[in-house]
Amino acid sequence: LPLEKMAVTRALNRLVKQGWIRRTNLRRYELTNLGRERVEELWPHLANSKFKIQNSKLSGWDQRWRVVVFDIPEKYRGLRAILRRFLLSLGFAGWQKSLWLTPFNVGEEVVAFLQASRLNGMAMLLEVSSIAGMDDRDLAGRVWNLDKGSDKYAELIKSCREAEGLTQELKQKFSRLIFTEPWLPEELLPKDYEREEAMEAYRKLIG
């Protein structure tokens, strides 16, 4: 194995022995409960990121975009993949391969991650109030493909109203929508985005 791969393999094996992570298959690992506790101890601001995103969703948008731009050499593609997964966990979406953005106030989490992973020289965080030439709602619609979501919510509403009872197909359809929903602030959603209406129709169906 190349030196870099050997170092990564040794580090992963050490974390497994310490009980922080466990192997799920030949190429994937996940945090154990002990590992999550350790992350919360070392980086409490990262552990609180989900709460901060939920709070942003409830309190409304602060009118600022968080943009991460990176240029990571191919020899560090493993780090690049880790960065992308981390950004996804904070509500980011990729506008381009190396340009990701989110409306959520998670700048501290990103800065801490870049410092801890030593990606500071290869990635940067920007906070901007606007992106030249782009309406915020149009930008969100393009990046998160919200038109597709609008169609799926309209379809779910129609299915719920026509159904005589809750079916397995409806359960699966609802679960897929909720799992893939970006939960963006109301100000960024298309005017015909019937997320709340769809959830209400589903609630009525299940009683």
Side-chain angles (χ1 to χ4, degrees), residues 39-135:
V39 168
E40 291 176 6
E41 178 185 338
L42 292 173
W43 300 295
H45 43 287
L46 298 184
N48 291 333
S49 60
K50 286 187 177 180
F51 169 79
K52 289 187 69 174
I53 290 175
Q54 291 296 336
N55 188 55
S56 296
K57 293 167 187 172
L58 293 172
S59 61
W61 188 34
D62 64 359
Q63 308 296 314
R64 295 185 68 80
W65 292 100
R66 282 77 190 175
V67 182
V68 171
V69 183
F70 55 90
D71 183 13
I72 302 175
E74 184 62 21
K75 66 179 180 178
Y76 299 126
R77 60 183 177 275
L79 275 177
R80 188 171 58 213
I82 290 171
L83 173 61
R84 284 174 176 156
R85 286 198 294 271
F86 176 75
L87 294 176
L88 283 171
S89 76
L90 292 184
F92 279 80
W95 187 8
Q96 299 175 5
K97 285 185 178 180
S98 298
L99 193 157
W100 290 56
L101 71 162
T102 185
F104 301 122
N105 183 14
V106 291
E108 290 182 12
E109 287 78 0
V110 173
V111 170
F113 179 85
L114 294 180
Q115 290 174 344
S117 59
R118 298 181 181 178
L119 282 171
N120 270 340
M122 295 178 278
M124 69 174 66
L125 170 72
L126 308 172
E127 290 196 10
V128 298
S129 57
S130 64
I131 295 178
M134 294 292 297
D135 173 80

Side-chain angles (χ1 to χ4, degrees), residues 65 93 95 101 134-150 182 184 187-190 193:
W65 292 100
W95 187 8
L101 71 162
M134 294 292 297
D135 173 80
D136 290 324
R137 182 174 273 134
D138 291 342
L139 175 61
R142 181 181 301 184
V143 173
W144 279 272
N145 198 13
L146 296 180
D147 286 341
K148 186 176 181 180
S150 294
L184 298 176
E187 301 95 317
L188 297 175
L189 298 177
Y193 200 72

Side-chain angles (χ1 to χ4, degrees), residues 149-163 166-167 169-178 194-203 205:
S150 294
D151 293 340
K152 289 186 176 181
Y153 278 121
E155 181 185 339
L156 179 65
I157 292 172
K158 182 174 183 292
S159 298
C160 287
R161 290 173 177 170
E162 293 176 350
L166 187 61
T167 64
E169 181 182 355
L170 269 175
K171 286 182 181 179
Q172 292 174 351
K173 186 180 293 186
F174 181 77
S175 296
R176 283 195 297 269
L177 272 173
I178 295 304
E194 299 179 293
R195 180 180 66 196
E196 300 305 321
E197 293 85 347
M199 294 182 70
E200 181 60 26
Y202 186 81
R203 279 194 292 266
L205 188 63

